[in-house]
Amino acid sequence: MAEKSKKNEMEYNPQTGNLKQRLARVKTTRWVRFGIVVAVFLAWTVWLGNWWVLLALPLLADIYLTQFIPYTWWKGIKNSVVRTIFSWIDAIVYALVLVYFLFLFVGQNYQIPSSSLEKSLLTGDFLWVNKMVYGPRVPQTPLHFPLAQNMLPFFNCKSYIEHPQFDYHRLKGVRSVERGDIVVFNFPAGDTVALNCPNPDYYTLVFENGRDAVKNHPDIFGEVIYRPVDRRDNYVKRCLGLPGESLSMREGLVYINGKQLDEPKNVQFRYIVTTDGTVISDNVYEDLGVSVEDRGFNGQFYEMPLTYEMVKKLKALPYITAVERVTDAMLVGSNDKMLTHPLGHDYGWTHNNYGPVWIPKKGAQLDLTLENLPIYERCIKNYEGNSLEVNDGKIYINGEVANSYTFKMDYYWMMGDNRDNSLDSRYWGFVPEDHVVGTPMIVLLSFDKDKGGLRWNRFFRSANPDKK
């Protein structure tokens, strides 16, 4: 037994032998593993386009071959319990590192938290988001816990360290964002957050309550913090407007460069439904696919979101007397004009009647005026990092008078398929390219909160079957 213990100690002692002796002890299987790792590492380096990372090659060689650094020193511990504990720690650290790189450069899971994309994606869907389609971003906040977006559960603290911060850089992908794509992105208005009130966003809270009220009442609104781009909350919407296009809405229909856009198959609008006095049963709701949360009744009529197909089914019922789309006045009220983007500026735009608005494109120059400046102020100032102010009727960018601005990034217009129940670009504006995370590929699994079970028919189905 003593001889076996001594043998183990010699085997895991990193200080035994010179370079030649260490290499002579390396098994063939370990050379093969090292070769595979080096090949993957070199391919990743080429993809990154940063040859400085090749400086890590000697470290890989030491990990797999020479082991001058005692990475597995714990294997020589005689106490079996302690050795087992360290083996678990080693496995967990290895798994976290693997997950870190997987989530950064390949993809990650994402849960649908709201009904803004119903019926395309349902509340409770868990998605696999592919980051390689548009090209993954090199981490701007590299020091973070890989299984949490911005807050550690239970500990209620940040899951990341703010420094160092790297500039935005996206690796080469398969293609850029296309119209009709369902896109996961970091919430643009989520740069500043009142922790107790994440919804509505901080800027809406300030507009409705005043900046001093939000700042001076942490007991109500919580601590106000800033979040880096890649640590902002993840949102998911459908891309309808591309860089350089002009987008407008008329009676809820989207127009691109003056031409009406074909709506997604499962687009929903809110309807008022009246009956001859017959109560709409739960069975009818379930057959239509209307969730419990969306079933509204005020004693005289029913209100619910419906697709065009659901409207046809409802109208076919003998006791339904009318199915009418909700109008602007019925839907939002007078304050909606001030809550649409740009917040606090009345352009006469509403939830269903919006624009036209030009979507910024990288390299494109926009003539700036005091009239259109509020629309693009966040792009110029917050997203592209310029100082911007207005004095004596003149616009100053980085201290100089500016009559135009050339954009550094592409921007996108994102909206939900559940049009009347979606806080989207109509309320917080454009999505910069550096906020784009990826596109959902498949539904991994789905929980139905109304029935308290799983939606088995949604497992491993396409997350965007209508996108060709």
Side-chain angles (χ1 to χ4, degrees):
M1 187 61 123
E3 291 181 0
K4 185 177 181 181
S5 176
K6 186 175 181 180
K7 181 181 179 182
N8 286 341
E9 188 175 349
M10 289 295 294
E11 182 179 355
Y12 299 116
N13 186 351
Q15 303 301 323
T16 59
N18 56 30
L19 177 60
K20 184 177 180 180
Q21 292 171 329
R22 291 168 187 267
L23 291 176
R25 289 200 303 265
V26 178
K27 296 180 180 179
T28 303
T29 55
R30 200 162 184 84
W31 277 107
V32 172
R33 288 165 58 191
F34 175 67
I36 294 173
V37 169
V38 168
V40 172
F41 182 78
L42 291 175
W44 181 62
T45 302
V46 173
W47 193 25
L48 281 175
N50 186 350
W51 301 106
W52 286 104
V53 298
L54 289 177
L55 295 175
L57 269 178
L59 179 63
L60 287 177
D62 189 56
I63 291 172
Y64 281 89
L65 305 176
T66 56
Q67 296 186 341
F68 281 101
I69 300 174
Y71 308 99
T72 56
W73 59 270
W74 50 269
K75 290 185 178 181
I77 297 176
K78 296 179 180 180
N79 188 310
S80 60
V81 175
V82 176
R83 192 166 59 249
T84 299
I85 292 174
F86 274 100
S87 70
W88 276 102
I89 294 174
D90 181 75
I92 291 171
V93 170
Y94 183 84
L96 287 176
V97 171
L98 184 63
V99 168
Y100 175 84
F101 279 93
L102 180 69
F103 278 17
L104 280 181
F105 297 102
V106 179
Q108 69 183 83
N109 63 306
Y110 174 81
Q111 180 185 5
I112 296 293
S114 69
S115 62
S116 66
L117 273 171
E118 295 209 13
K119 293 295 187 263
S120 301
L121 294 174
L122 306 182
T123 303
D125 282 350
F126 283 79
L127 312 174
W128 174 255
V129 178
N130 188 336
K131 295 185 176 183
M132 300 179 72
V133 173
Y134 308 136
R137 295 173 300 183
V138 174
Q140 293 156 275
T141 313
L143 301 180
H144 66 270
F145 193 79
L147 302 178
Q149 176 59 19
N150 43 49
M151 298 295 289
L152 280 176
F154 308 113
F155 297 99
N156 197 30
C157 65
K158 292 180 181 179
S159 62
Y160 59 93
I161 297 175
E162 294 187 6
H163 302 287
Q165 279 286 315
F166 297 149
D167 292 335
Y168 164 65
H169 174 63
R170 187 178 296 275
L171 305 184
K172 185 175 178 58
V174 178
R175 60 175 176 83
S176 57
V177 177
E178 297 176 350
R179 192 183 341 275
D181 282 358
I182 294 177
V183 181
V184 174
F185 54 91
N186 298 117
F187 181 38
D191 53 352
T192 307
V193 181
L195 290 179
N196 288 357
C197 301
N199 191 13
D201 62 81
Y202 170 78
Y203 298 99
T204 303
L205 288 175
V206 169
F207 175 74
E208 294 179 334
N209 301 278
R211 190 178 304 275
D212 289 340
V214 175
K215 180 180 179 181
N216 297 330
H217 291 85
D219 54 320
I220 299 175
F221 300 102
E223 180 187 1
V224 176
I225 65 169
Y226 172 82
R227 284 176 177 163
V229 171
D230 56 344
R231 297 298 101 200
R232 296 169 193 173
D233 286 340
N234 288 323
Y235 271 42
V236 58
K237 307 287 180 185
R238 189 183 296 275
C239 177
L240 295 186
L242 298 174
E245 295 181 337
S246 176
L247 179 142
S248 60
M249 292 185 66
R250 296 293 175 264
E251 302 303 328
L253 301 177
V254 178
Y255 292 78
I256 298 294
N257 297 330
K259 183 179 179 181
Q260 184 178 335
L261 191 66
D262 292 336
E263 297 289 352
K265 178 182 178 181
N266 290 316
V267 68
Q268 289 193 128
F269 297 97
R270 205 151 191 87
Y271 288 83
I272 299 295
V273 180
T274 54
T275 72
D276 61 6
T278 304
V279 175
I280 298 178
S281 68
D282 289 341
N283 289 336
V284 172
Y285 278 124
E286 290 179 8
D287 180 59
L288 290 172
V290 179
S291 66
V292 173
E293 184 181 1
D294 287 333
R295 302 171 191 177
F297 181 62
N298 71 350
Q300 295 180 317
F301 56 82
Y302 299 84
E303 187 177 352
M304 66 190 79
L306 301 169
T307 64
Y308 295 131
E309 190 64 32
M310 292 161 69
V311 170
K312 290 180 182 179
K313 285 185 178 182
L314 206 53
K315 285 184 174 179
L317 299 176
Y319 54 85
I320 300 297
T321 59
V323 181
E324 300 176 285
R325 257 199 67 188
V326 175
T327 64
D328 259 348
M330 298 164 63
L331 176 67
V332 292
S334 59
N335 198 38
D336 187 59
K337 291 182 180 180
M338 298 294 283
L339 289 176
T340 52
H341 175 76
L343 186 65
H345 297 271
D346 187 1
Y347 283 79
W349 301 342
T350 65
H351 190 89
N352 283 324
N353 294 278
Y354 192 95
V357 60
W358 179 77
I359 304 170
K361 181 178 181 179
K362 183 178 181 179
Q365 187 179 83
L366 173 72
D367 292 333
L368 287 179
T369 65
L370 294 179
E371 183 179 356
N372 68 15
L373 180 63
I375 301 172
Y376 303 101
E377 182 177 0
R378 279 188 63 81
C379 298
I380 298 171
K381 186 177 179 180
N382 297 63
Y383 306 147
E384 302 202 351
N386 300 285
S387 65
L388 188 152
E389 56 183 7
V390 176
N391 285 324
D392 297 327
K394 294 182 180 180
I395 302 170
Y396 291 82
I397 297 178
N398 298 327
E400 298 182 1
V401 176
N403 297 317
S404 64
Y405 180 77
T406 301
F407 290 92
K408 302 174 186 176
M409 291 191 291
D410 283 330
Y411 291 79
Y412 301 91
W413 191 265
M414 306 288 185
M415 292 178 62
D417 291 353
N418 194 358
R419 290 290 166 78
D420 297 332
N421 191 27
S422 174
L423 289 174
D424 48 38
S425 285
R426 291 170 289 182
Y427 289 91
W428 34 255
F430 312 103
V431 176
E433 65 173 76
D434 68 340
H435 284 57
V436 172
V437 175
T439 183
M441 301 301 290
I442 59 172
V443 179
L444 297 173
L445 56 101
S446 184
F447 287 98
D448 188 340
K449 68 176 182 178
D450 291 342
K451 297 181 180 180
L454 296 171
R455 303 185 184 101
W456 293 100
N457 63 327
R458 293 189 63 79
F459 279 39
F460 301 107
R461 62 172 288 173
S462 172
N464 192 7
D466 299 328
K467 175 69 177 176
K468 303 301 183 184

